Amino acid sequence: MISDLMNDEDLLYKLQLKLDTHHPTVKNWRNFASKWGMSYDELCFLEHRPQQSPTLEFLLRNSEKTVEQLIDLCKLYKRIDVLKVLQLWVEKDWPKRWHQTY
């Protein structure tokens, strides 16, 4: 679940660096959030909150979705850079968390 990655500050920082950016030809948090049903008004609201990363807020609002669904969005929007960060986390860091908690 996305909620599992919300406790990893390093991962969140990397995702924010990649998805908070605004570039006319690169899909970012707005595309991801819109695809998962966030309204235009919500997108505008998040975009104009300087104290909070819009990527972080998007992930918080979708914390019940799976990391695999987030990976699928990366594939859909051809965000291979974000995909690689998530896959590395799933393969290396996420299993460690299970061993620490159980």
Side-chain angles (χ1 to χ4, degrees):
M1 303 298 278
I2 288 177
S3 59
D4 294 332
L5 64 79
M6 297 306 292
N7 294 323
D8 189 323
E9 290 183 25
D10 292 334
L11 174 65
L12 290 175
Y13 178 73
K14 290 174 189 174
L15 294 176
Q16 289 172 55
L17 283 176
K18 293 180 178 301
L19 292 173
D20 279 355
T21 59
H22 298 282
H23 191 277
T25 60
V26 178
K27 304 297 185 192
N28 63 17
W29 72 271
R30 285 182 69 96
N31 303 96
F32 284 48
S34 178
K35 185 70 173 175
W36 279 356
M38 198 172 287
S39 71
Y40 176 78
D41 289 339
E42 289 174 301
L43 294 173
C44 290
F45 175 74
L46 291 182
E47 192 168 50
H48 294 94
R49 289 180 58 194
Q51 72 276 15
Q52 178 88 20
S53 158
T55 297
L56 184 58
E57 186 64 30
F58 155 71
L59 292 172
L60 283 169
R61 289 181 183 211
N62 291 283
S63 62
E64 78 288 350
K65 293 190 182 285
T66 66
V67 175
E68 188 62 38
Q69 287 173 294
L70 185 57
I71 287 172
D72 288 343
L73 277 183
C74 294
K75 292 175 183 176
L76 174 70
Y77 290 123
K78 297 180 180 19
R79 287 302 307 264
I80 304 307
D81 57 332
V82 180
L83 175 71
K84 287 180 180 181
V85 168
L86 288 170
Q87 286 178 329
L88 184 64
W89 182 82
V90 166
E91 292 168 9
K92 296 198 175 174
D93 294 330
W94 190 63
K96 290 178 193 172
R97 292 183 178 279
W98 282 104
H99 294 300
Q100 291 173 355
T101 57
Y102 296 106

